[in-house]
Amino acid sequence: MDNFEEKLKKLEEITNNIKRDDISLEEALKNFEEGIKLSKGMEEELNKVEGRIQILMTEPSPLDKNNQPVLDDFNADNELIGTRK
């Protein structure tokens, strides 16, 4: 899954699947474990976004084309690839 929205959709599918009347306990547990792993990863993504928002909100002067915030760079997996300037 590439983006947050796709992960959220998958988590909703898992949740609906667990609520089925005809699901076995084993299948429900498997789905629950998958949902927990997925939600923890999504929480980490949200925490990183929140950190970036905090940087933007605490900039000392108004932002314009000459005063851009300096953000850490992240790769496609939201892993830090650079350092703050």
Side-chain angles (χ1 to χ4, degrees):
M1 281 173 262
D2 293 333
N3 63 39
F4 190 86
E5 290 77 15
E6 289 175 356
K7 291 175 185 175
L8 183 58
K9 184 176 180 180
K10 178 64 177 173
L11 188 58
E12 289 172 349
E13 289 172 7
I14 291 170
T15 302
N16 289 331
N17 192 33
I18 290 173
K19 292 178 183 179
R20 290 188 357 239
D21 292 334
D22 63 340
I23 192 170
S24 69
L25 181 58
E26 185 176 319
E27 187 179 353
L29 180 58
K30 181 181 173 185
N31 280 283
F32 182 76
E33 288 174 331
E34 182 181 358
I36 291 295
K37 289 177 187 176
L38 190 57
S39 67
K40 285 184 180 184
M42 293 169 68
E43 182 178 19
E44 289 174 11
E45 285 182 53
L46 287 174
N47 287 337
K48 289 176 184 177
V49 169
E50 182 180 8
R52 293 174 74 181
I53 290 170
Q54 288 298 324
I55 291 169
L56 292 170
M57 297 299 293
T58 58
E59 286 293 317
S61 55
L63 299 177
D64 60 29
K65 67 179 180 177
N66 297 323
N67 180 29
Q68 294 295 310
V70 178
L71 301 175
D72 293 328
D73 294 325
F74 292 87
N75 64 16
D77 295 324
N78 288 324
E79 296 172 335
L80 184 64
I81 59 173
T83 58
R84 188 173 166 91
K85 297 178 183 177

